[in-house]
Amino acid sequence: MNEEICYLTMTELAKSIRDKTLSPVEVVTAHLDRIDSINPKLNAIVELTEGVLDRAHEAEAALMSGNLWGPLHGVPFTAKDSVDAKGVRTTRGSRLFADHIPTADATAITRLKDAGGIFLGHTNVPEFVFWFETDNLVYGRTNNPWNQNHTSGGSSGGEGAAIASGLSPIGIGSDLACSIRQPATHCGIVGLKPTHGRVPLTGHWPNTLLRFMHIGPMARTVKDIAVALSIMSGPDGIDPYAVPVPVPELENLGGALSGLRVGWCSEGPFAPVAKDVQSVVESAANSLEQLGCKIEPVTLSGWNNPPAQDISIKLFTAELVPYLEPFISGREEELSPVIQKRLQVPEPTAREYQQAWNERERLCHDLASYFSKYDLLLCPTSVTHAPKHGTSELNVDGEVVLPRNSVRATVPFDLTGSPAISIPYGWSNDGLPIGVQLVGRHFDEATLLKAANALENVSQKEGTRRPQI
């Protein structure tokens, strides 16, 4: 019974609690029991909130007295270990912050709590959330629930693994290059990077590169993503990048997609892309066409001169290294090998940094031009399914590339600030999930989620799978 409770969606749990067919205590207890049973194999959840069961009893008492806290009354949720939670150790995956206990919640956590959610705890991340494999010297490595020899992705890899395995129904991730969408595709869940400025970054660390950083929800269904986004959205008066645009109305994700213009690209500037990933993207394009969309293949030929990941390396290195210096000075030996290696990357010259900005502006113009013709872009989320742990080179159907090539299809949309979602849509030959990515116009999450929901409905006709842990 506990497993069945843990695989109910966030919205199903919320409804069951409101209808009193499940109590908040039953729901939280089921998740805590599953964490006890499954988490040792995955190392996805790394810190539990003290008194979480007491909070569930408070939620139950409130419900019995007719006091509904909000739409998520009694529903547990998690957040990656770079999102501040009051009174909960928040290490940022680093020995440098091993004893860090925030005195206030991040805005995203506050809003889910204010909606009635119960914060279960933190999920694992790579050090400083700057890598695409979730492993650190504080908690160790997180395993993929579909195959523990493979990565769950990064940097929200603990979140992806927790949600896929029923340890949490909904979570808060963040994304600078791939960090919501890559774990989503590797773990077989849904992950949304909203438009930059849609969700406040307040309480997320590191407090740098904020022009490209995004906070967004991760869940097992598009509907849960939509509900969470509506709760998390809107300025908080603290984050200067949070834009005062109306909170999207996302209650109705159904309806026809007739006339929606969708360009699709299975490889193009993201090359090399594995054949099984390309096949899944093409299958999604065919489904959208059958759903009434106007589908057209696009090449996006100008996007790889230079590739977006080359632009991001220059921008991120130039800004990250000076920001980190006060924190790491004198403690360099405590850093993980990944961060030590990243700190050795030569900083770009002023001219190279300015050129990277120019290239980023060109990419923004190219994408704006694209969206003058199309409503959505369909493309891969990652160039392969989840690789094995510690992969030092990525083998894409025999072509060997650097591991950072895994972000080729995601980082462009962090640089442009565009909303992008990954949804599970297929499987590799060895049983690992493969997601597809939809990208939309700025602040048009409604169209993005409507199309994602339609694709999800198609994929679920073949039945849903659960990882056998």
Side-chain angles (χ1 to χ4, degrees), residues 2-24 26-28 30-31 63 71-77 166-170 220 224:
N2 278 2
E3 181 174 333
E4 296 309 312
I5 291 175
C6 292
Y7 272 103
L8 292 174
T9 68
M10 178 191 76
T11 48
E12 289 170 340
L13 288 171
K15 184 179 185 301
S16 296
I17 289 171
R18 287 194 303 272
D19 294 345
K20 301 178 182 176
T21 55
L22 286 175
S23 75
E26 284 180 292
V27 170
V28 170
H31 282 85
L63 189 67
L72 302 185
H73 187 110
V75 176
F77 71 96
L167 308 185
S168 172
I170 185 79
R220 289 190 293 271
D224 283 1

Side-chain angles (χ1 to χ4, degrees), residues 36-86:
D36 284 342
S37 173
I38 301 300
N39 195 57
K41 302 175 185 178
L42 298 178
N43 193 34
I45 293 181
V46 291
E47 291 288 335
L48 286 172
T49 303
E50 186 176 347
V52 66
L53 198 53
D54 293 338
R55 186 61 174 162
H57 281 285
E58 292 173 8
E60 185 165 338
L63 189 67
M64 292 300 113
S65 65
N67 178 20
L68 189 67
W69 289 347
L72 302 185
H73 187 110
V75 176
F77 71 96
T78 46
K80 68 190 293 187
D81 189 28
S82 58
V83 181
D84 283 353
K86 183 178 180 180

